[in-house]
Amino acid sequence: MDKCKHIGRLRLAQDHSILNPQKWHCMDCNTTESVWACLSCSHVACGRYIEEHALKHFQESSHPVALEVNELYVFCYLCDDYVLNDNATGDLKLLRSTLSAIKSQNYECTTRSGRTLRSMGASDDSYLSHGGAQALLRNEDRMFTALWHRRRAFLGKIFRSWLELTPTGKKILEEERRREEAEERRDKARKRRQERKHELKAEMEKMPPRKSSRLQNQIRMSSETAPCLQKPSQNMESVAELKKTYTSDEVRLKKISDSPIKRRPTVTPGVTGLRNLGNTCYMNSILQVLSHLPIFRECFLKLDLNQTQELLATATNGKTRSSSKHLSIAASTLHVNENQEKVKGSSSVRRPSVSSGLSGGASKSRNMELIQPREPSSKHISLCHELHTLFQVMWSGKWALVSPFAMLHSVWRLIPAFRGYAQQDAQEFLCELLDKVQQELETTGTRYPALIPASQRKLIKQVLNVVNNIFHGQLLSQVTCLACDNKSNTIEPFWDLSLEFPERYHCNGKEMSSQYPCLLTEMLAKFTETEALEGKIYACDQCNTKRRKFSSKPVILTEAQKQLMVCRLPQVLRLHLKRFRWSGRNHREKIGVHVNFDQMLNMEPYCCRESLKSLLPDCFIYDLSAVVMHHGKGFGSGHYTAYCYNSEGGFWVHCNDSKLNMCTMEEVCKAQAYILFYSQRLTQANGHGKIPCPSTAESQQHTELADCSMDNSSS
């Protein structure tokens, strides 16, 4: 929020405990994560993602404004939003600078005797009138510092003299002497190499340039044919300029590759954290999962729609012709723009991180975080382009942390429902993101197809095919009439399966959730079980065959039962566990029951055997690829994290925004899952075994379904 009215009436508490780092922990649960300090009193408590003690303090004391002591965010509970403005006296700015000085241990008014200056209290004049007290405290601090250094020097001298007399001390001193001698030898060798290099360079500069006979012949031939050449055309000049810019870009890229940036510490590819930009954990967890799906990731690493959209924009404005020469020139400019983007990306601004991770995530190195610009990197807003850029950074092995500002602002502009910093649902965001990406690919591929190069059109078609089919499956909805036993089959597409909990698990008690875990196979069985329709509501075609179409006789309604079965399996199976249910008119509560799931899932019991009988048994086997979890108690609050399987390194990673940690399969299976991602084993096998062609298998499925429906109708 840009302007909060409650900040203007804020008066900071006198002698606040926030200035003492020893009190940076929750007063109730003693945790040091997500610590929020009330700015109206001296209370310190944990945030919403831990135990919500800060929220309880607001409900009890009506103190609306709190500050996070680690990230220095300010939040107003009455406005339910983060605060960006300050009061008239600038108290928040002063408090942030004071806390930053305390963290970096450069706070001038903190003495070694333990005395600290007070923050701005009820009276600003009284605070400013303490200039003499500040000077006195600084003098005392210098005195304590001098005494401390004197005592430390005396103790160090005594300890060193004692250590030199002991056998262990003699051994340590001998090792130190050897290390110093080895370091001196290395320095001397390094200096000799540098001097030799400078001597060789000076000798090469003094030598006259020599040309080979081949170059001399070329120069002679060019000088002979020069008078016969005519003035080149405008198109040839533009092509030459493009080649010149391309070569200059290559030289610039070569210089950057030789720079110290290339030699910075590398991280494991894919182990890159995403900074939380304000309740964006739902987006970070989904982006981590999509980047760890190899099929989805590889497509967007190859495709970048930014250049194609620029080409279409110029075509719309009438600046592009459909000649083959111009198309080739445009294709070369696309390549040049790509190189320029890589150059810009390598020189982006970086800042230090907070904590350490699995050679990735939040890192202590100052050169390991990439901060995207506040606006999208292209004037044509494109989710495909932002996915391409983000996946390139995450899997380059050079960045431990990314602040995805460009991706967030693109989502805000193209998906208005997720605009702002409110709590959002990860499942809804995943569905909206895939829909927008699909629409963008379809729109780009159909607009001015003659202006897009053939290779780019083919690549767009391949990526669109992957986006459409990676999560796409089909359900067979079978309704059976109980009067004549006639079966009516309907095929319905699906992109995920929303699984409901059985009735006995609809409770919020911690005892019930810990004693009786639910099985994933039990939820799948409930999804595919036969359900009896209430009353006589089904109009059976078989029972109404003797009744004419325009007859005045009433339609015969019978009792029926319905069953859903999978008749086409997707490459990646998404299982959405419906943990949130309505309890009351406007309240949605969470079902906190643990769901037991395995690393391998066999989908054969839940499929229509008549339609999939031609498939191999291994086609029904799925391996776990990712898990999205929801931490918290309600729908409108909580935190999202994800477990992802890194196929490059062969290990599991827990992705918690900027923090990434390696974990075991046992830890993954203990997670409170919200969305499960299973990958088909034959798709991952890369040709091992007999894999049926997808088009053949699909045609066989449709043929068998048609035969099945014809047999049922004839019966």
Side-chain angles (χ1 to χ4, degrees):
M1 174 178 288
D2 294 335
K3 191 172 183 180
C4 175
K5 60 182 180 180
H6 307 98
I7 293 295
R9 299 191 290 266
L10 175 67
R11 308 293 291 181
L12 292 183
Q14 191 174 3
D15 241 353
H16 203 294
S17 60
I18 194 175
L19 298 178
N20 188 359
Q22 295 180 355
K23 296 184 180 181
W24 289 356
H25 59 83
C26 179
M27 293 182 177
D28 297 323
C29 62
N30 206 29
T31 182
T32 57
E33 295 184 5
S34 185
V35 179
W36 292 81
C38 179
L39 296 183
S40 301
C41 64
S42 60
H43 190 270
V44 180
C46 58
R48 294 185 178 181
Y49 300 154
I50 310 299
E51 294 294 338
E52 300 182 350
H53 289 140
L55 180 61
K56 294 177 182 177
H57 173 71
F58 159 69
Q59 295 171 353
E60 295 172 358
S61 61
S62 300
H63 294 167
V65 185
L67 183 139
E68 213 277 336
V69 298
N70 294 317
E71 300 292 341
L72 303 182
Y73 296 146
V74 178
F75 188 84
C76 180
Y77 286 100
L78 290 177
C79 301
D80 195 20
D81 202 349
Y82 290 90
V83 177
L84 300 179
N85 60 316
D86 202 347
N87 58 0
T89 57
D91 291 341
L92 294 183
K93 182 178 179 181
L94 179 62
L95 185 59
R96 283 193 177 104
S97 61
T98 307
L99 291 178
S100 300
I102 291 175
K103 288 181 182 179
S104 59
Q105 298 180 358
N106 292 327
Y107 190 48
E108 295 180 355
C109 298
T110 301
T111 67
R112 293 193 180 276
S113 60
R115 301 177 62 184
T116 57
L117 289 179
R118 297 180 179 179
S119 61
M120 184 171 289
S123 176
D124 299 338
D125 298 335
S126 63
Y127 178 79
L128 295 175
S129 64
H130 288 165
Q134 294 180 13
L136 180 61
L137 287 176
R138 290 192 188 97
N139 293 333
E140 290 182 3
D141 190 26
R142 294 190 185 99
M143 180 183 66
F144 278 108
T145 302
L147 289 175
W148 183 79
H149 279 290
R150 181 178 176 83
R151 292 170 183 170
R152 187 168 181 266
F154 279 138
L155 289 175
K157 187 176 181 181
I158 294 171
F159 180 74
R160 281 193 297 271
S161 61
W162 169 79
L163 186 63
E164 291 174 357
L165 301 177
T166 60
T168 306
K170 293 178 181 178
K171 186 177 180 180
I172 293 174
L173 292 175
E174 183 65 22
E175 291 179 356
E176 290 180 356
R177 185 181 61 80
R178 291 176 181 174
R179 282 198 297 268
E180 290 176 357
E181 292 177 356
E183 186 66 26
E184 289 179 0
R185 288 195 296 269
R186 284 195 293 268
D187 290 340
K188 291 179 181 178
R190 191 181 301 111
K191 290 179 181 179
R192 285 197 301 269
R193 287 196 300 269
Q194 290 179 355
E195 291 175 358
R196 182 59 180 165
K197 185 176 180 181
H198 290 314
E199 292 176 0
L200 292 175
K201 187 175 181 181
E203 291 178 1
M204 292 293 293
E205 290 177 353
K206 293 178 181 179
M207 292 177 61
R210 294 186 301 174
K211 294 183 180 180
S212 63
S213 58
R214 180 176 58 85
L215 292 176
Q216 292 176 358
N217 293 333
Q218 287 182 358
I219 293 173
R220 192 181 302 112
M221 291 173 63
S222 61
S223 60
E224 291 175 358
T225 56
C228 302
L229 292 176
Q230 296 180 357
K231 186 178 180 180
S233 62
Q234 187 176 0
N235 291 337
M236 295 301 292
E237 287 181 355
S238 60
V239 173
E241 290 176 358
L242 286 174
K243 290 183 178 179
K244 187 182 297 180
T245 56
Y246 177 70
T247 53
S248 63
D249 287 333
E250 280 186 342
V251 172
R252 197 182 305 125
L253 282 173
K254 186 176 181 182
K255 289 181 180 178
I256 287 179
S257 64
D258 295 337
S259 65
I261 297 177
K262 184 180 178 182
R263 296 191 294 272
R264 65 169 174 263
T266 57
V267 299
T268 308
V271 187
T272 302
L274 299 175
R275 185 171 290 281
N276 194 323
L277 305 178
N279 285 336
T280 57
C281 54
Y282 67 94
M283 181 184 75
N284 293 345
S285 58
I286 293 300
L287 292 177
Q288 288 282 9
V289 169
L290 293 178
S291 73
H292 280 83
L293 295 177
I295 307 175
F296 193 89
R297 178 183 71 245
E298 292 300 328
C299 289
F300 284 93
L301 284 177
K302 298 176 183 177
L303 175 67
D304 186 8
L305 286 185
N306 184 25
Q307 297 89 351
T308 305
Q309 290 183 349
E310 290 180 358
L311 188 63
L312 293 178
T314 55
T316 307
N317 296 332
K319 298 179 181 179
T320 305
R321 300 177 182 178
S322 59
S323 63
S324 59
K325 295 183 180 179
H326 286 73
L327 286 178
S328 61
I329 295 172
S332 60
T333 54
L334 297 183
H335 197 62
V336 172
N337 291 336
E338 224 173 48
N339 293 334
Q340 292 176 351
E341 286 183 359
K342 292 179 181 177
V343 172
K344 293 177 182 178
S346 62
S347 59
S348 300
V349 183
R350 307 172 192 89
R351 68 182 182 192
S353 309
V354 182
S355 61
S356 59
L358 169 72
S359 81
S363 173
K364 293 182 180 178
S365 175
R366 293 179 177 267
N367 295 330
M368 299 301 288
E369 179 176 0
L370 175 66
I371 303 176
Q372 289 187 346
R374 297 282 175 171
E375 293 295 327
S377 57
S378 171
K379 59 182 179 181
H380 307 284
I381 303 174
S382 168
L383 287 176
C384 293
H385 171 65
E386 298 303 333
L387 286 174
H388 166 79
T389 306
L390 193 61
F391 288 174
Q392 269 192 336
V393 172
M394 294 174 67
W395 289 87
S396 64
K398 297 180 181 179
W399 306 101
L401 185 60
V402 183
S403 296
F405 284 105
M407 184 70 193
L408 179 62
H409 285 274
S410 298
V411 170
W412 283 359
R413 293 191 182 185
L414 297 178
I415 314 178
F418 293 90
R419 186 174 298 167
Y421 296 99
Q423 296 277 352
Q424 302 288 351
D425 183 54
Q427 167 68 9
E428 296 177 1
F429 173 73
L430 176 59
C431 297
E432 290 289 339
L433 178 65
L434 293 177
D435 287 344
K436 288 296 180 181
V437 168
Q438 180 182 357
Q439 293 176 11
E440 188 175 319
L441 289 170
E442 291 176 350
T443 305
T444 308
T446 54
R447 286 180 56 198
Y448 304 101
L451 298 175
I452 305 175
S455 59
Q456 190 76 356
R457 287 202 310 269
K458 184 178 180 181
L459 186 58
I460 292 175
K461 187 176 180 181
Q462 291 176 355
V463 176
L464 180 61
N465 187 31
V466 170
V467 173
N468 287 336
N469 295 328
I470 183 173
F471 300 111
H472 178 255
Q474 289 181 345
L475 287 175
L476 177 66
S477 177
Q478 190 175 79
V479 181
T480 304
C481 176
L482 298 181
C484 64
D485 201 24
N486 179 51
K487 292 181 173 59
S488 176
N489 297 328
T490 305
I491 297 177
E492 301 173 355
F494 75 89
W495 283 265
D496 58 6
L497 299 180
S498 295
L499 306 180
E500 295 183 353
F501 285 83
E503 291 293 334
R504 63 178 179 274
Y505 297 109
H506 288 191
C507 61
N508 289 327
K510 294 184 178 179
E511 297 179 358
M512 292 292 292
S513 62
S514 61
Q515 290 180 2
Y516 303 102
C518 180
L519 298 177
L520 179 63
T521 54
E522 186 179 358
M523 300 178 71
L524 285 169
K526 177 179 173 57
F527 181 81
T528 57
E529 69 180 359
T530 303
E531 176 187 3
L533 303 180
E534 296 181 358
K536 296 183 178 181
I537 59 173
Y538 179 62
C540 177
D541 294 336
Q542 185 72 19
C543 297
N544 289 277
T545 51
K546 296 182 180 179
R547 177 183 169 275
R548 295 181 180 178
K549 185 175 182 180
F550 301 101
S551 175
S552 59
K553 294 182 180 180
V555 178
I556 301 175
L557 299 178
T558 61
E559 296 181 351
Q561 60 184 11
K562 182 180 179 180
Q563 184 181 13
L564 291 176
M565 293 176 290
V566 179
C567 64
R568 180 188 176 188
L569 292 167
Q571 296 180 12
V572 178
L573 179 64
R574 285 163 44 197
L575 300 179
H576 169 226
L577 310 184
K578 301 177 71 172
R579 287 194 174 273
F580 302 103
R581 67 184 185 95
W582 292 100
S583 61
R585 182 172 296 179
N586 293 320
H587 178 65
R588 293 180 72 179
E589 64 180 10
K590 181 181 178 181
I591 302 175
V593 181
H594 176 70
V595 177
N596 283 342
F597 56 91
D598 296 327
Q599 186 176 4
M600 185 192 73
L601 177 65
N602 186 6
M603 287 294 294
E604 187 174 6
Y606 319 106
C607 297
C608 180
R609 298 183 179 179
E610 289 80 5
S611 59
L612 299 177
K613 62 183 179 180
S614 61
L615 297 182
L616 296 174
D618 288 343
C619 295
F620 300 96
I621 304 300
Y622 281 80
D623 293 318
L624 186 65
S625 296
V627 181
V628 175
M629 294 177 298
H630 178 270
H631 308 267
K633 300 178 181 179
F635 178 76
S637 63
H639 182 55
Y640 286 101
T641 62
Y643 282 105
C644 302
Y645 180 73
N646 191 305
S647 57
E648 299 290 332
F651 52 81
W652 283 89
V653 183
H654 182 212
C655 305
N656 183 7
D657 290 336
S658 59
K659 298 179 181 178
L660 276 77
N661 297 313
M662 184 185 294
C663 57
T664 60
M665 189 62 208
E666 289 74 14
E667 296 179 65
V668 178
C669 293
K670 291 179 183 178
Q672 194 180 54
Y674 181 50
I675 310 174
L676 295 168
F677 294 80
Y678 280 92
S679 298
Q680 203 170 19
R681 180 171 291 183
L682 279 183
T683 306
Q684 297 174 349
N686 295 328
H688 295 289
K690 297 181 179 179
I691 302 177
C693 178
S695 59
T696 308
E698 185 178 352
S699 62
Q700 290 177 355
Q701 291 178 17
H702 286 294
T703 306
E704 290 165 357
L705 283 174
D707 295 340
C708 182
S709 60
M710 290 176 62
D711 295 340
N712 293 330
S713 61
S714 62
S715 61

